[in-house]
């Protein structure tokens, strides 16, 4: 009787060893790959595959779709992975519905990538944030494309939440930087982002159990190729809601002009709440891209964004919902010590991420529900995630 | 002589006087006097020089800091695995004897052949695993990687042997375990002095190899073929108090030294294809660090495998329970060595037997001897995680039900009857051989029959019958007995009694598989009950469950039935099943859809489990009755549960991981045989699978942030909200005031009092009745105050001189504490899922698809190690390493010669390329390793973390070379590509020369090639530098080049370039364990070119240019020097070429004519010459005489002169003396004179 609790998911079977190089010597290497179906959670799978060294096969990518196969943005993402790694083998079948990915070693260095404008840079950057500390050389990536769109986390959001989160895991120093050089909103794009990250051999275990109280709210209201007054209107409306809670609010207005303003008009707002213990909760909202729906009023956008922030605060935790998987990944890849993080409710993306983490690293998290203490004025239920790190060490980093 | 022998004067001790008193006082209280030397003589200890003081302080600090190591988190487990003691040494040095003696010392048991690891309990807190290391270098390498302590046996009568040093070097590379030398054969020394000298010599050499002061133990001699008891006891004490340092590789990789091996392959499959891949389970203590399930392992000598399943088993050799007594009692001195046949398990060719001598069983049961306990625990070890979960659930019930205990006793009494055990058929050795071949089938069949009685009927009998025709009669007997045994075994396992019949080990696995298809009729009801239970269980309401269980057990009578309940509990227990109630409302729509799928699947899974549970026992009525009772009030419970669930947060663990498990269960079902097909709503799944990949968490539409109560619900998340009791600033201020409120201003003399106290005093005066109450309050406050003060003091005191190092250490300590405590309250089954299997656990690893040779050629003398591989350590790539040829290895190593490396867990053959880094960072290929220098080596091999050491040997077969370790090194860098270059010189010749421009041909072949090299610098042999300019159309490959000087046609032009070389991708694991027994140390891989040529008798045909030929030199001819006329004219005479010819021969007429004498004249001339000769002689003689005379004269003269000088000197001396005396007299007289004058 096999042990069921530890068996793999249905969409996941052991791959028969690939008929490639590794099978030449009869039993030299027994590294098995994983098989998945569908294009969802594409990034997670490839990122975890790269980190764990396990190859992965993704089948049935939009096989029932009118337009089957990989999309351009996914191809662009694969190309980006190819740029930061050395020795990666990628095989895509004729129709693009199947992808075989054998990861190489993370190389890093200076790269420049033209991100496909179907998705924002955040789409690509989220994966890079996961990979960057484990490279051979410090990463200096210049990503070009859409900096802000309504679907993906914007660069501003990642800058204000993911970067401080990385610092808590010991990935800090002056090498860590995320800069918006040019802003370009969907659909035209034309933005440019510089991301630099130092490399680390090991990741520190963390105990993020106390979210602390929110001491200040900051934000960026940006506008490109529209009237600069838009940003001010957003700020006023957002403040009108947030002022009920805390007076320390400052929302910068960022109006980029000329060459730095990309190709399409748009505006938006990113709000970040900082707590006493240095955790950041964020929310953002951006205007509907040109030609994809009815335009929104900046006042509405500001108010809605503020409400999103309140929602995020209600969810709470030490890590905001956009960065849950990043935090969990770093916890997984820590030394073999107990790490804890208090999160808000797990997003579907995070839940799938947890499953993938188990597939690739055999790490399970202890998930406990924590109710806020005393009265009910501290938001919703929290989730305490506990895990023992995989004892992962950056094998790319060279010693000399 | 006499003086020397004369007696010395003895020392007279003073009995009185100050000295005697001083001594006396010293003797009495000397210590006290010396102690306050500092106080007594402060000047002597005063600071003389500030600089010196600073220096000493600095030095002291330096020394202190030097002692620091980088603190690491202590990850050792509470119950550590047995210490691996590896006994090494050359053959015939006494390894087995020593192990036997040590085992006897610790356990009072005698071992025969030391075969495989032997685990013993050596003390209250320590267990030891002894492994003997043979002389084979592969074994030495493998064991050096897992050893905690090495006992290095050295034959003192012979001295050190190469094996010793080889092993030491292996250890140095793979992390240095603790090493203790043991000198044996010391009784062969007749001469005591020689013995002492040898000991000293060996000790010092050992120290230089290990470290100064390393422990070397002496075993002086043998008594009746064993070492002396006292000495062994001492050695045992040393071993049991020894501390071990954590080694980097060991602490970062889990590993198992297998002490038991079982072949799980289907015997039928083996029969059909004897060479089929085998599934093998390996047992052993987990060491190193946490082991994750389903990981990859490397078995040195076999290869890489992925583990199908890991489960932990009860410790076969447990430490004694915590007791206060000092020594272990006889029961606790356990010995566990299944490979050696101790502990009741015997290894046979392809099966394992638990063997108990029949005569002893009865006795042993009554006595409760440790061996029986062992076997008993072994019986239980087959159970996997699931089964053990079932067991763990049992405890929930058994604690409450008193009936259970009675039952157990009853069962025990029954099974204690010796009948079936005594009359075992396969006890005597004579039968074993025959049974071994048949037994498995028999037993299976027996079991099948057993099942058939209960089942509706199965038709597997036919196949089995054919095989065992010959022994039908016996078989029948056996069958009956088997059935009996079977029954008993089951009960035993359940009850954990001590009685155990001999049972073949692998049986247990198949039992359950065989029992699967049964009982279709009761399915529905059971399923219902099961599901209902699920609903409740899903809530995580264990209390409720237990209460239910209690009710059940109390009502049911027989033990059999209880077991059923347990089994049923086990089903859902193994991990979270996602039930509808939980997930239904907890998630948004997409999630809900998924849940509904899993619900269906879950049902199916439960069915099968229920079936399994039931089949154990035939009884159905009890089961249904129990289930029916279960159902009482179910709807109410369910609704309650649902309500509670609505309020509570969803059980996230099940949400996240549970669904996945369900899917897995479904898969199993499908494999079981198409009965349980589930029509799965595929489209939904696919839809989800193809959704857009976005990390956004959409906000909950249910919450409306326009409402005031919503806003209110997060009010306290802000600093402006309400604070907790301990953090509120206002509260803290108030408390502080109470604490520090009252103080006395010393300057003014006024007394400030805390407000509270003042009030208190006032109230005292006013209100008497409240006094008591107030007192109470005040007392509490005072206590509180005191506590806080103390706390503050403590924290400040401790942090007084806290350095960075201390902080770091404290942080590590905290982390270690957290690691220990975090999962303490979780039961082991769940815990292993979170953190993996802990080191110290006895685990069973199931490894599929092992080559059949592993089983067929299994030899327990060779260690089987399962080393787990970290993430991405299972891949191959290029490794850049730093390597140094070992100083003692005879020859340097050649690039591209295959080399066997031991790196990480692995031993493999690969083809290294040696290179060295030039100062511009270029890696230049070397043909050979440098003699005494590090060089780079790039290999194609398994990805291993940087900083891992490795060693290289040229061959693992035999001991041909004097020192087998060829090189050592360390991994520096991993990559998927290489950048090694070798030098390439391209040569060309000028064919046309202008002033500084030349046309060069012969270097390239095409215009394109030239185009690639435009601008490259070239050079002639004579050192004229130049540059390639442009290709010429004809001839192909020719180009125009400019030089700094004019070339000659005879010049050779060359271009220096670098050519990248590729590393051959050879990774050939050393599969020494797969070789037939007796040949395991003769593995040969790829041969070097030299070996190949030698073996095939081939000789290289050398290039004729390389052959040595006699040097033939042609005579050089020089043309005469020609000086132009003009120049000649201008030259000074001295330098002018002399024009005059050499003198011609004297003309004839000028030559003198020869004179021919007459005979007479000739006579005269002869006479004259004779006369002159005589006179010449005479004069010469006279001259000599004269000379001698003169010489004599001169000597005389000299002597005279000397005498004269002597005389003169004498005279002078006399004169001077006289003069001096005179002078003295004069002086004296003058003095006298003056004196007289006065």
């Amino acid at each position: 009787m096999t042990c069921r609790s530890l068996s793999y998911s249905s969409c996941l079977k052991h791959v028969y060893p690939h008929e490639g190089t590794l099978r030449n010597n009869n039993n030299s290497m027994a590294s098995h790959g994983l098989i998945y179906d569908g294009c969802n959670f594409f990034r997670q799978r490839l990122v975890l595959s790269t980190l764990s060294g396990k190859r992965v096969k993704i089948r049935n990518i939009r096989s029932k779709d009118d337009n089957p196969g990989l999309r351009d943005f996914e191809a662009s993402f694969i190309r980006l992975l190819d740029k930061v790694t050395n020795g990666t083998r990628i095989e895509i079948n004729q129709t693009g519905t199947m992808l075989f990915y054998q990861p190489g070693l993370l190389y890093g260095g200076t790269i420049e990538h033209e991100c496909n404008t179907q998705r924002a840079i955040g789409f690509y950057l989220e994966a890079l944030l996961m990979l960057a500390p484990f490279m051979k050389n410090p990463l200096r990536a210049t990503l070009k494309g859409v900096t802000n769109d309504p679907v993906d986390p914007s660069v501003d959001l990642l800058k204000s939440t993911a970067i401080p989160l990385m610092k808590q895991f010991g990935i800090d120093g002056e090498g860590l930087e995320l800069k918006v050089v040019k802003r370009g909103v969907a659909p035209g794009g034309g933005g440019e982002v510089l991301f630099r990250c130092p490399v680390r051999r090991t990741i520190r275990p963390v105990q993020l159990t106390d979210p602390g109280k929110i001491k200040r709210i900051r934000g960026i209201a940006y506008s490109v190729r529209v009237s600069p007054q838009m940003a001010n209107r957003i700020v006023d409306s957002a403040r009108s809601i947030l002022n009920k809670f805390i007076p320390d609010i400052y929302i910068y207005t960022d109006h980029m002009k000329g060459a730095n303003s990309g190709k399409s008009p748009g505006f938006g707002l990113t709000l970040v709440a900082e707590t006493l213990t240095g955790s950041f909760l964020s929310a953002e909202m951006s205007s509907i891209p040109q030609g994809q729906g009815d335009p929104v009023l900046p006042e509405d956008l500001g108010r809605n964004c503020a409400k999103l922030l309140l929602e995020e605060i209600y969810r709470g935790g030490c890590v905001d919902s956009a960065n849950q998987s990043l935090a969990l990944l770093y916890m997984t890849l820590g030394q073999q010590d107990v790490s804890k993080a208090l999160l808000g409710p797990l997003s579907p993306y995070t839940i799938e991420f947890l499953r993938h983490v188990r597939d690739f690293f055999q790490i399970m998290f202890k998930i406990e529900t924590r109710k806020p203490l005393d009265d009910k004025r501290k938001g919703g239920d929290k989730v305490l995630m506990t895990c023992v790190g995989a004892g992962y060490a950056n094998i790319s980093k060279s010693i000399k | 002589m006499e003086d020397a022998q004369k007696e010395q004067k003895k020392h007279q001790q003073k009995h009185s006087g100050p000295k005697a008193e001083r001594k006396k006082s010293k003797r009495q209280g000397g210590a006290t006097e010396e102690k306050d030397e500092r106080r007594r003589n402060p000047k002597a200890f005063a600071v003389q020089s500030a600089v010196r003081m600073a220096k000493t302080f600095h030095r002291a600090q330096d020394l202190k800091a030097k002692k620091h190591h980088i603190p690491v988190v202590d990850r050792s487990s509470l119950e550590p695995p047995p210490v691996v003691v590896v006994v090494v040494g050359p053959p015939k040095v006494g390894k087995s004897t020593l192990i036997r003696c040590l085992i006897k010392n610790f356990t009072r048991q005698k071992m025969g052949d030391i075969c495989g690891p032997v685990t013993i309990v050596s003390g209250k807190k320590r267990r030891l695993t002894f492994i003997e290391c043979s002389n084979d270098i592969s074994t030495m390498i493998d064991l050096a990687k897992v050893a905690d302590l090495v006992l290095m046996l050295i034959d003192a009568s012979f001295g050190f042997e190469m094996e010793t040093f080889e092993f030491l070097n292996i250890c140095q590379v793979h992390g240095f375990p603790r090493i203790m030398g043991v000198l044996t054969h010391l009784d062969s020394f007749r001469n005591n002095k020689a013995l002492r000298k040898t000991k000293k010599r060996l000790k010092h050499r050992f120290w230089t190899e290990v470290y100064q002061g390393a422990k070397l133990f002496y075993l002086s001699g043998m008594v009746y073929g064993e070492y002396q008891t006292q000495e062994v006891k001492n050695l045992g004490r040393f071993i049991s108090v020894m501390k071990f340092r954590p080694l980097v590789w060991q602490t970062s990789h889990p590993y198992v030294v297998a002490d038991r091996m079982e072949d799980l392959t289907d015997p039928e499959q083996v029969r059909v294809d004897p060479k089929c891949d085998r599934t093998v389970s390996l047992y052993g203590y987990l060491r190193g660090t946490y082991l994750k399930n389903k990981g990859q392992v490397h078995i040195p000598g076999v290869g890489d495998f992925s583990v199908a399943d890991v489960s932990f088993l009860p410790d076969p050799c447990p430490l004694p329970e915590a007791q206060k007594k000092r020594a272990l009692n006889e029961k606790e001195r356990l010995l566990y060595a299944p490979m050696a046949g101790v502990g009741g398990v015997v290894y046979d060719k392809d099966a394992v037997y638990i063997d108990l001598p029949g005569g002893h069983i009865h006795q042993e049961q009554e006595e409760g001897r440790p061996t029986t306990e062992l076997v008993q625990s072994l019986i239980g070890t087959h159970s996997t995680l699931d089964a053990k979960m079932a067991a763990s659930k049992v405890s929930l019930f058994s604690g409450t039900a008193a009936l259970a205990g009675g039952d157990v006793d009853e069962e025990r009494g029954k099974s204690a009857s010796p009948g079936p055990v005594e009359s075992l058929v396969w006890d005597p050795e004579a039968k074993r051989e025959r049974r071994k071949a048949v037994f498995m089938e028999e037993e299976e069949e027996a079991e099948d029959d057993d099942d058939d009685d209960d089942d509706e009927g199965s038709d597997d009998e036919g196949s089995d019958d054919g095989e065992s025709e010959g022994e039908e009669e016996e078989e029948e007997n056996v069958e009956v007995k088997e059935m009996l045994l079977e029954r008993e075994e089951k009960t035993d396992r359940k009850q954990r009694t001590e009685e155990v019949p001999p049972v073949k080990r692998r049986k247990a696995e198949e039992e359950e598989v065989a029992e699967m298809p049964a009982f279709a009729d009761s399915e529905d009801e059971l399923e219902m009950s099961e599901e209902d239970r699920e609903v409740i269980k899903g809530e995580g309401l264990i209390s409720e469950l237990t209460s239910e269980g209690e009710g059940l057990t109390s009502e049911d009578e027989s033990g059999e039935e209880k077991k059923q309940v347990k089994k049923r509990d086990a089903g859902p227990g193994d991990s979270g099943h996602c039930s509808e109630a939980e997930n239904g409302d907890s998630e948004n729509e997409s999630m809900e859809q998924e849940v509904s799928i899993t619900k269906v699947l879950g049902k199916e899974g439960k069915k099968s489990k229920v079936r399994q549970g039931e089949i154990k026992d035939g009884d159905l009525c009890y089961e249904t009755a129990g289930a029916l009772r279960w159902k009482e009030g179910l709807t109410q419970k369910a609704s309650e549960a649902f309500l509670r669930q609505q309020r509570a947060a969803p059980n996230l663990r099940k949400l996240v991981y549970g669904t996945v498990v369900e899917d897995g269960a479904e898969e199993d079902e499908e494999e079981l045989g198409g009965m349980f097909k589930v029509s799965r709503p595929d489209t939904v799944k696919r839809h989800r699978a193809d959704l857009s990949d976005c990390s956004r968490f959409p906000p909950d539409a249910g919450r409306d942030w326009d409402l005031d109560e919503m806003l209110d619900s997060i009010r306290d998340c802000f600093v402006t909200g309400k604070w907790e009791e301990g953090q509120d600033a206002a509260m803290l201020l108030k408390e502080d005031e109470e604490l520090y409120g009252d103080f006395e201003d010393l300057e003014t003399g006024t007394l400030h009092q805390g407000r509270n106290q003042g009030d208190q005093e006032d109230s005292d005066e006013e209100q008497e009745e409240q006094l008591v109450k107030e007192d109470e309050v005040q007392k509490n406050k005072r206590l509180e105050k005191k506590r806080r003060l103390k706390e503050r003091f403590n924290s400040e005191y401790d942090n007084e001189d806290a350095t960075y190092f201390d902080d770091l250490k404290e942080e590590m300590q905290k982390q270690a504490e957290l690691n220990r405590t975090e999962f303490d309250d979780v039961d082991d089954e769940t815990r292993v899922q979170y953190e993996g299997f802990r080191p110290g656990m006895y685990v069973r690893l199931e490894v599929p698809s092992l080559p059949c040779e592993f089983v067929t050629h299994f030899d327990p003398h060779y260690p089987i190690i399962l080393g787990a591989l970290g993430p991405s350590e299972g891949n191959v790539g290029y490794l850049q390493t730093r390597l140094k040829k070992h100083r003692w290895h005879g020859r340097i190593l050649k690039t591209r010669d295959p080399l066997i490396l031991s790196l990480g867990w692995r031993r493999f053959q690969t083809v290294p390329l040696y290179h060295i880094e030039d100062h511009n960072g270029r890696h230049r290929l070397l043909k050979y390793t440098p003699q005494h220098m590090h060089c780079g080596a790039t290999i194609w091999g398994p990805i291993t973390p940087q900083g891992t050491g490795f060693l290289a040997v040229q061959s693992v077969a035999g001991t041909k070379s004097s020192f087998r370790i060829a090189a050592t090194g360390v991994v520096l860098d991993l990559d998927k590509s290489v950048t090694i270059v070798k030098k390439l010189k391209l040569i060309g010749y000028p064919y046309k020369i202008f002033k500084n421009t030349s046309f060069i041909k012969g270097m390239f072949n095409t215009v394109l090639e030239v185009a690639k090299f435009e601008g490259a610098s070239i050079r002639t042999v004579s050192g004229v530098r130049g540059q390639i300019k442009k290709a010429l159309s004809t001839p192909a490959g020719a180009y125009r080049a400019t030089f700094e000087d004019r070339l000659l046609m005879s010049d050779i032009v060359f271009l220096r370039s670098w050519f990248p070389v590729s590393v051959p991708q050879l990774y050939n694991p050393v599969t020494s364990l797969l070789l037939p027994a007796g040949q395991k140390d003769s593995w040969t891989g790829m041969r070097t070119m030299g070996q190949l040529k030698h073996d095939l008798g081939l000789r290289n045909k050398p290039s004729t240019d390389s052959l040595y030929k006699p040097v033939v030199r042609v005579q050089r001819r020089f043309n005469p020097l020609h000086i132009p006329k003009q120049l000649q004219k201008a030259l000074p005479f001295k330098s002018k070429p002399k024009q005059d010819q050499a003198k011609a021969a004297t003309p004839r007429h000028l030559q003198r004519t020869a004179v021919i004498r007459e005979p007479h004249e000739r006579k005269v001339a002869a006479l004259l010459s004779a006369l002159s000769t005589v006179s010449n002689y005479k004069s010469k003689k006279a001259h000599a005489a004269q000379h001698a005379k003169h010489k004599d004269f001169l000597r005389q003269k000299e002597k005279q002169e000397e005498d004269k000088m002597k005389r003169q000197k004498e005279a002078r001396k006399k004169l001077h003396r006289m003069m001096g005396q005179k002078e003295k007299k004069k002086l004296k007289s003058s003095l006298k004179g003056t004196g007289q004058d006065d």
Side-chain angles (χ1 to χ4, degrees), chain A residues 6 25 29 40 53 86 126 136 150 207 213-214 245 284 307 336-338 340 355 377 379 395 397, chain B residues 289 293 612 656 689 693 695-696 706 713 716-717 720 815 818-819 822 874-875 946 973-975 1067:
Chain A
L6 295 173
N25 328 337
M29 293 285 167
N40 204 356
N86 180 20
E126 275 186 311
K136 188 189 284 290
Q207 262 70 48
K213 288 188 185 298
I214 292 161
F245 292 101
E284 66 165 341
K307 282 176 191 169
Q336 290 209 318
D337 291 320
V338 169
K340 288 180 167 194
R355 292 174 191 160
R377 306 210 310 164
I395 54 163
K397 191 167 182 265
Chain B
T289 176
N293 206 342
Q612 282 178 38
V656 174
D693 178 16
S695 63
R696 265 274 158 86
D706 289 332
S713 68
D716 285 346
C717 293
T720 48
Q815 184 68 49
L818 183 68
N819 291 351
E822 179 57 33
N875 295 342
Q946 318 88 334
D973 198 1
L974 311 161
D975 215 334
Y1067 165 73

Side-chain angles (χ1 to χ4, degrees), chain B residues 64-205:
Chain B
K64 209 169 128 191
K66 224 175 170 181
K67 277 184 201 157
H68 290 167
H69 293 276
I70 299 172
V72 285
V73 179
D74 174 25
R75 299 194 182 94
S76 59
S77 54
L78 285 175
E79 189 165 334
V83 173
V84 177
V85 183
V86 174
V87 182
V88 280
K92 293 278 163 209
V93 82
K95 299 187 290 283
S96 314
T97 319
L98 181 67
I99 296 180
R100 242 175 261 137
C101 289
L102 282 169
I103 289 170
K104 195 183 162 198
N105 173 47
F106 284 121
T107 64
R108 315 273 183 271
Q109 288 191 52
K110 276 198 174 176
M111 288 272 293
D113 187 17
I114 309 296
C115 186
V118 180
T119 306
I120 58 169
V121 177
S122 71
K124 282 192 293 182
K125 282 181 185 161
R126 180 159 290 183
R127 294 171 290 179
L128 305 174
T129 296
F130 288 104
I131 305 178
E132 187 180 334
C133 178
S134 68
N135 195 28
D136 174 21
I137 195 144
S138 305
T139 315
M140 280 156 70
I141 288 171
D142 290 349
L143 287 178
K145 290 172 191 170
V146 297
D148 295 314
L149 168 68
V150 172
L151 291 183
M152 187 156 269
L153 264 65
I154 298 150
D155 182 351
S157 66
F158 185 84
F160 285 108
E161 289 171 59
M162 271 303 177
E163 283 83 2
T164 313
F165 291 117
E166 279 165 359
F167 192 82
L168 280 168
N169 274 289
I170 294 169
C171 286
Q172 264 162 350
V173 168
H174 293 300
F176 213 69
R178 219 164 245 279
I179 291 183
M180 199 155 129
V182 179
L183 287 188
T184 59
H185 295 262
L186 286 172
D187 47 353
S188 59
F189 285 92
R190 292 275 161 266
N191 187 353
N192 205 22
K193 196 177 176 192
L195 171 68
R196 234 180 314 126
K197 273 195 162 174
T198 316
K199 271 185 184 175
K200 193 173 177 187
R201 191 165 45 82
L202 292 178
K203 185 172 75 180
H204 281 281
R205 181 67 231 192

Side-chain angles (χ1 to χ4, degrees), chain B residues 1051-1079:
Chain B
D1051 270 331
I1052 298 171
V1053 180
F1054 60 86
L1055 180 143
R1056 297 201 304 172
S1057 64
W1058 298 96
F1059 180 72
V1061 281
S1062 61
V1063 178
Q1065 298 195 341
L1066 174 81
Y1067 165 73
N1068 185 18
V1070 176
T1071 51
S1072 55
L1073 279 187
L1074 302 182
L1075 295 171
Q1079 297 171 30

